[in-house]
């Protein structure tokens, strides 16, 4: 397949894209702890070479040991934004290759972030080689995989009033996502006194009380299993972790329960939290619950305009099961779509890869969007 591609002119652009992707994989942006700022500075230099009228690099404070960062390039007065996150998750167990040394073989590019989603960065840079960008913004943003602080910072600290549409890149198998679930995550706590297990019959039982809450959460999920829009029914409730205690003969003094759900667009969060409060009280009033993640669902505001923007480059418009920062852009009044090379089934896996065919498709898509937007 690669030999056949070498006979056509487009292969030159694909080779450029692959070369860029290999360099991006080598630059470690694992979140937390990765060098997002260093990569932003490198990308800023490339964007200036590609003719951007203005390029800025911004750092964003976060609780991790390194700051988040993003680079924003402006070509004219942007009405369209191309956004890709540049951070990755840590390398999963089971890698048979060096995650930070890209390997091109069997029609694939292997490497951490090749699929999620540095391949899109490489494709956008390659598409910009045409020099036709006009009224376009390009945002390569960090801190998507562990906090999502950069995009809100960008929206709050930059003039984005002219931006009407955004293409948010995630591995969607060439489909265009017009909606996706949100993510709500919580921690429940029970604090008791603890002590010798010979007195357990008369002592508080943090683990048991939290287990009661876990069962009630599962019951709520069962009740809602067939509720919601087509393709996104159910809550995806995940009772993830119950911890506490140090030994079988010690009554624990505290327990902690972690759980999450992935609501669909139209979800009534206030009504759910009223049910959650009822479940807490019915389990034990001493249980306290804190919310640790509040990512709202996403639904495109102007489907007709988005279909016109990317319809020539995809055969299918879908709802997505995973959360993206399109929800943040849409909430800011920027009509968004989620689309990109690679398949989500490859993201966050050992020996992650993206197909060369997908990279070629992405180059053509971004080049087409940029050219049409400039006309």
């Amino acid at each position: 397949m690669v030999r056949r591609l070498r006979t056509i002119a487009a292969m030159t652009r694909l080779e450029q894209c692959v070369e860029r992707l290999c360099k991006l994989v080598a630059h470690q942006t694992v979140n937390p702890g990765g060098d997002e700022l260093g990569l932003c500075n490198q990308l800023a230099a490339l964007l200036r070479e590609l003719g951007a009228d203005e390029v800025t690099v911004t750092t964003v404070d976060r609780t991790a040991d390194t700051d988040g960062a993003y680079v924003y390039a402006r070509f004219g007065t942007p009405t369209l934004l191309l956004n890709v996150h540049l951070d990755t998750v840590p390398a999963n167990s089971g890698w048979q290759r060096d995650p930070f040394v890209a390997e091109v073989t069997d029609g694939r590019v292997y490497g951490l972030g090749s699929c999620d989603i540095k391949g899109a960065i490489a494709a956008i840079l390659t598409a910009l080689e045409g020099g036709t960008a006009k009224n376009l913004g390009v945002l390569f943003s960090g801190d998507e995989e562990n906090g999502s602080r950069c995009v809100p910072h960008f929206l709050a600290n930059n003039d984005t009033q002219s931006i009407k549409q955004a293409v948010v890149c995630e591995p969607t198998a060439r489909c265009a996502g017009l909606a996706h679930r949100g993510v709500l995550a919580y921690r429940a706590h029970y604090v008791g006194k603890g002590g010798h297990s010979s007195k357990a019959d008369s002592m508080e039982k943090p683990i048991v009380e939290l287990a009661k809450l876990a069962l009630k959460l599962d019951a709520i999920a069962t009740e809602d299993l067939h509720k919601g829009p087509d393709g996104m029914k159910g809550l995806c409730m995940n009772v993830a972790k119950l911890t506490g205690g140090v030994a079988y003969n010690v009554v624990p003094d505290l327990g902690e329960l972690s759980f999450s759900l992935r609501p669909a667009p139209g979800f009534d969060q206030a009504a759910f939290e009223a049910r959650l409060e009822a479940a807490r009280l019915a389990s034990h009033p001493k249980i306290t619950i804190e919310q640790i993640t509040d990512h709202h669902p996403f639904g495109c505001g102007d489907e007709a305009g988005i279909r016109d923007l990317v319809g020539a480059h995809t055969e299918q418009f879908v709802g997505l099961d995973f959360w993206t920062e399109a929800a943040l852009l849409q909430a800011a009044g920027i009509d968004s779509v989620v689309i990109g090379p690679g398949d989500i089934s490859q993201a966050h896996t050992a020996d992650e890869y993206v197909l060369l065919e997908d990279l070629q498709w992405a180059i053509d898509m971004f080049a087409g969007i940029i050219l049409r937007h400039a006309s």
Side-chain angles (χ1 to χ4, degrees):
M1 175 183 172
V2 173
R3 290 176 181 173
R4 185 165 67 250
L5 284 172
R6 289 185 185 280
T7 64
I8 60 177
M11 183 55 190
T12 301
R13 301 175 79 192
L14 180 57
E15 287 177 330
Q16 292 173 349
C17 181
V18 170
E19 182 179 0
R20 287 187 169 112
L21 178 53
C22 291
K23 292 178 180 178
L24 290 167
V25 168
H27 197 119
Q28 298 186 30
T29 52
V30 171
N31 188 355
D35 182 22
E36 294 180 11
L37 179 59
L39 182 53
C40 284
N41 285 328
Q42 290 185 18
L43 292 170
L46 290 173
L47 289 163
R48 292 186 183 101
E49 291 176 6
L50 290 167
D53 295 305
E54 183 182 21
V55 181
T56 57
V57 174
T58 304
T59 58
V60 178
D61 291 338
R62 61 186 182 197
T63 56
D65 55 356
T66 56
D67 289 337
Y70 61 87
V71 55
Y72 177 55
R74 177 180 61 80
F75 298 79
T77 302
T79 55
L80 172 66
L81 179 72
L82 304 181
N83 171 232
V84 193
H85 72 82
L86 52 79
D87 60 326
T88 74
V89 295
N92 206 341
S93 61
W95 275 82
Q96 301 300 307
R97 299 168 169 82
D98 186 332
F100 302 107
V101 177
E103 181 179 341
V104 185
T105 184
D106 298 327
R108 303 171 176 179
V109 181
Y110 290 89
L112 183 62
S114 59
C115 173
D116 188 13
I117 179 88
K118 290 181 175 180
I121 297 177
I124 288 173
L125 293 172
T126 304
L128 286 169
E129 291 279 2
T132 58
K134 181 180 179 181
N135 296 334
L136 178 73
V138 177
L139 174 65
F140 297 142
S141 49
D143 202 46
E144 190 270 350
E145 296 288 8
N146 189 31
S148 289
R149 295 170 182 85
C150 286
V151 168
H153 189 281
F154 165 76
L155 291 169
N157 293 277
N158 292 268
D159 183 5
T160 60
Q161 292 185 353
S162 64
I163 300 174
K164 306 303 179 185
Q165 294 178 313
V167 176
V168 178
C169 298
E170 293 287 354
T172 62
R174 308 192 196 183
C175 297
L178 296 177
H180 64 60
R181 294 179 180 271
V183 182
L184 302 176
Y186 302 84
R187 276 195 294 257
H189 303 269
Y190 188 109
V191 179
K193 293 184 177 180
H196 199 282
S197 63
S198 65
K199 303 296 184 181
D201 288 346
S202 59
M203 297 180 68
E204 295 176 285
K205 303 174 181 179
I207 304 300
V208 173
E209 303 302 348
L210 289 171
K212 292 177 183 177
L213 177 59
L215 292 174
K216 294 186 187 302
L217 293 172
D218 189 61
I220 290 174
T222 300
E223 290 174 10
D224 287 16
L225 195 58
H226 302 292
K227 297 178 182 179
D230 289 343
M232 293 189 186
K233 295 189 182 300
L235 294 177
C236 295
M237 177 73 75
N238 179 34
V239 179
K241 189 177 183 181
L242 178 57
T243 60
V246 295
Y248 74 89
N249 56 356
V250 179
V251 176
D253 60 350
L254 58 86
E256 182 178 286
L257 174 71
S258 300
F259 60 97
S260 67
L261 60 149
R262 293 181 177 265
F267 176 72
D268 189 337
Q269 186 169 339
F272 168 77
E273 291 186 343
R275 297 165 74 190
L276 179 58
E277 174 64 5
R280 181 189 74 84
L281 292 172
S283 301
H284 200 289
K286 283 193 66 173
I287 293 174
T288 60
I289 298 176
E290 63 171 330
Q291 186 177 66
I292 56 177
T293 299
D294 186 5
H295 290 334
H296 290 188
F298 159 65
C300 177
D302 178 18
E303 287 196 16
I306 290 298
R307 288 176 183 271
D308 185 59
L309 177 68
V310 301
H313 307 285
T314 184
E315 296 180 357
Q316 192 172 10
F317 290 85
V318 299
L320 303 171
D321 288 331
F322 54 92
W323 188 84
T324 80
E325 291 179 327
L328 303 176
L329 294 166
Q330 189 69 52
I334 301 172
D335 290 309
S336 303
V337 62
V338 184
I339 190 170
D343 193 309
I344 195 65
S345 65
Q346 282 301 314
H348 303 188
T349 64
D351 294 330
E352 175 185 347
Y353 68 82
V354 64
L355 295 173
L356 291 174
E357 289 180 344
D358 275 12
L359 293 176
Q360 182 65 68
W361 165 83
I363 295 166
D364 294 340
M365 176 183 70
F366 290 124
I369 289 174
I370 291 168
L371 180 61
R372 183 177 180 186
H373 187 67
S375 62

